[in-house]
């Protein structure tokens, strides 16, 4: 997905809240499941209104407002609908790989809430078409131009790539199908029952590839990822890195512990952040690595207060002019050696001095 949509989604993850799955007492709504692609490899759920009403949501929303994020072109009215009318959302994509630079990932977002069709049309200006008796709106100036918004009924909005929306409408018109990525949907149901915000990903058959995997080799050892965030009592973050093998799980555990240790070393000048990193629990298992961080409301407020202040609309400083004699030879990169890990010593590159 493009940068603007990504900002909207992940800003929503931080300030979200809602009542997803009330019809069946938690988990996933069967009516929504019918619309999702059966070959989905990524599912992300947000209980929008519930989290927005939490103390965490209030703190993060204030930080986002202070950051001065610009509105998304073509979606200013839609953003207002998201803030005021939404209860919950579920995003899915069946992309077979991590998106390359400059390439879009097809996605479908199902948004639940209480919507006024007339108000929605006023807030979203653009060309319209009808498909299976449903009006699809192409917001003006949106990127990519294939994105559409559809009001399915007064409680459901569909948003995403046109092909994904029309496929969802086709599935609604057809008899229910039991053919779907069962393991992924089962994990999603468990995450949705326990967490306010959750994400589950299955790696493609050949493993993660692309630019991201090339820059982060540990992705090639993953068969999947589960993440859950709970906001009812402070902040609890739980993640499970699913490895391809027991050996990969050991390597993943060592890599995660090494990254945390390196981050803590580089935050020596920020005691609050260093202490926070040290509280992250990493637990290896036969074929997975569990990561957990839990903060009480008081601890979370203290951590948020220690974050550096935002500087919106800051202009980056120009690079220093090169001398006539030419640039000096760069110093060799420094490395940090970490000992005491179950898998043996680990060396990681040190972050450059700031």
């Amino acid at each position: 997905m493009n940068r603007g949509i990504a900002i909207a989604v992940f800003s929503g993850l931080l300030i979200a809240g809602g009542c997803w799955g009330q019809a069946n007492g938690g988990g996933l709504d069967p009516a929504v499941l019918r619309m999702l692609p059966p070959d989905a490899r990524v599912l992300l759920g947000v209980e929008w209104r519930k989290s927005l009403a939490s103390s965490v949501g209030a703190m993060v929303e204030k930080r986002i407002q202070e950051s001065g994020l610009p509105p998304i072109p073509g979606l200013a009215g839609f953003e207002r609908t998201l803030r005021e009318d939404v209860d919950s959302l579920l995003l899915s994509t069946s992309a077979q790989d991590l998106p390359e630079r400059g390439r879009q990932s097809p996605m479908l977002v199902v948004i639940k809430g209480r919507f006024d069709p007339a108000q929605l049309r006023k807030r979203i200006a653009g060309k319209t078409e009808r498909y299976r008796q449903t009006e699809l709106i192409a917001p003006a100036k949106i990127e990519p131009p294939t994105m559409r918004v559809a009001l399915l009924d007064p409680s459901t909005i569909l948003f995403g790539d046109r092909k994904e929306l029309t496929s969802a409408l086709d599935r609604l018109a057809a008899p229910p199908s039991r053919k779907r990525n069962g393991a992924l949907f089962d994990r999603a149901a468990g995450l949705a029952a326990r967490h306010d915000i959750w994400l589950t990903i299955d790696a493609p058959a050949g493993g993660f590839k692309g630019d991201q995997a090339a820059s982060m080799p540990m992705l090639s050892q993953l068969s999947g990822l589960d993440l859950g965030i709970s906001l009812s009592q402070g902040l609890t973050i739980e993640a499970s890195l699913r490895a391809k093998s027991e050996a990969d799980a050991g390597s993943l555990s060592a890599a995660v512990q090494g990254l945390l240790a390196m981050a803590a070393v580089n935050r020596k000048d920020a005691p609050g952040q260093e202490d926070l990193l040290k509280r992250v629990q990493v637990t290896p298992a036969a074929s997975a690595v569990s990561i957990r961080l839990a903060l009480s409301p008081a601890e979370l407020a203290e951590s948020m207060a220690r974050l550096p202040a935002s500087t919106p609309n800051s202009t980056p400083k120009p690079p220093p002019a090169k001398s006539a004699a030419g640039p000096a030879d760069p110093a060799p990169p420094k490395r940090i050696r970490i000992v005491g890990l179950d898998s043996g010593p680990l060396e990681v590159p040190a972050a450059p001095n700031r």
Side-chain angles (χ1 to χ4, degrees):
M1 70 185 74
N2 68 19
R3 181 176 178 274
I5 295 172
I7 290 173
V9 171
F10 288 104
S11 295
L13 285 179
L14 294 174
I15 63 173
C19 51
W20 189 267
Q22 285 185 343
N24 60 348
L28 297 174
D29 185 345
V32 173
L33 287 177
R34 286 187 61 186
M35 290 183 274
L36 303 182
D39 60 343
R41 291 189 176 275
V42 178
L43 295 174
L44 180 153
V46 180
E47 295 194 351
W48 195 269
R49 197 160 306 281
K50 177 183 174 183
S51 300
L52 185 64
S54 71
S55 57
V56 178
M59 286 187 288
V60 177
E61 184 177 21
K62 180 180 178 181
R63 297 287 300 193
I64 291 175
Q65 291 173 349
E66 292 173 349
S67 70
L69 286 176
I72 302 173
L75 286 182
F78 190 40
E79 289 181 64
R80 183 177 175 185
T81 295
L82 290 175
R83 289 195 309 270
E84 297 178 358
D85 305 329
V86 170
D87 287 337
S88 58
L89 68 83
L90 179 64
L91 179 150
S92 68
T93 178
S94 53
Q96 295 296 302
D97 200 357
L98 294 171
E100 303 285 352
R101 289 192 182 100
R103 200 186 85 196
Q104 308 298 331
S105 296
M107 69 172 185
L108 171 69
V109 184
V110 183
I111 305 170
K112 302 293 288 185
R114 300 164 300 281
F115 309 111
D116 183 321
Q119 288 293 329
L120 187 65
R121 290 188 183 92
K122 288 181 181 179
R123 292 176 180 178
I124 309 174
K127 296 182 179 180
T128 63
E129 63 172 301
R130 297 195 73 83
Y131 185 85
R132 289 192 179 274
Q133 307 304 313
T134 299
E135 188 176 64
L136 308 183
I137 305 173
K141 301 179 181 179
I142 192 172
E143 292 293 338
T146 56
M147 301 302 284
R148 299 291 185 270
V149 178
L151 180 64
L152 187 62
D153 56 53
S155 64
T156 310
I157 289 176
L158 303 183
F159 171 59
D161 186 81
R162 182 186 182 280
K163 182 179 179 181
E164 296 296 317
L165 262 65
T166 57
S167 296
L169 295 174
D170 289 341
R171 286 189 288 270
L172 277 179
S177 174
R178 296 184 180 275
K179 296 181 179 180
R180 64 165 61 117
N181 185 348
L184 182 79
F185 281 85
D186 287 345
R187 284 168 22 216
L191 289 167
R194 302 191 308 273
H195 300 288
D196 303 314
I197 302 167
W198 55 270
L199 169 70
T200 182
I201 301 175
D202 263 354
F208 290 117
K209 300 176 183 178
D211 294 333
Q212 294 92 332
S215 61
M216 190 177 294
M218 62 183 290
L219 285 175
S220 64
Q221 300 170 318
L222 287 175
S223 64
L225 164 71
D226 295 337
L227 171 69
I229 301 175
S230 301
L231 307 174
S232 58
Q233 296 180 349
L235 173 66
T236 301
I237 303 175
E238 297 177 323
S240 176
L241 307 181
R242 298 178 175 272
K244 293 181 179 179
S245 66
E246 187 171 347
D248 284 337
S251 298
L252 283 170
S253 177
V256 171
Q257 293 180 64
L259 289 172
L260 289 170
M262 181 179 67
V265 169
N266 292 328
R267 291 294 181 270
K268 288 287 187 181
D269 56 341
Q273 296 179 38
E274 181 188 5
D275 293 343
L276 192 65
L277 289 166
K278 290 181 178 180
R279 294 189 57 174
V280 178
Q281 301 173 4
V282 180
T283 307
S287 59
V289 178
S290 298
I291 305 170
R292 188 175 190 273
L293 172 66
L295 298 175
S296 68
E299 291 168 335
L300 178 62
E302 182 180 358
S303 298
M304 292 289 290
R306 289 179 173 178
L307 289 177
S310 302
T311 55
N313 302 322
S314 60
T315 302
K317 296 181 180 179
K322 296 182 179 179
S323 64
D329 293 334
K334 296 181 179 180
R335 300 183 67 83
I336 297 175
R337 182 176 176 85
I338 303 168
V339 298
L341 302 177
D342 295 337
S343 58
L346 176 68
E347 286 194 355
V348 295
N353 294 329
R354 299 181 179 178

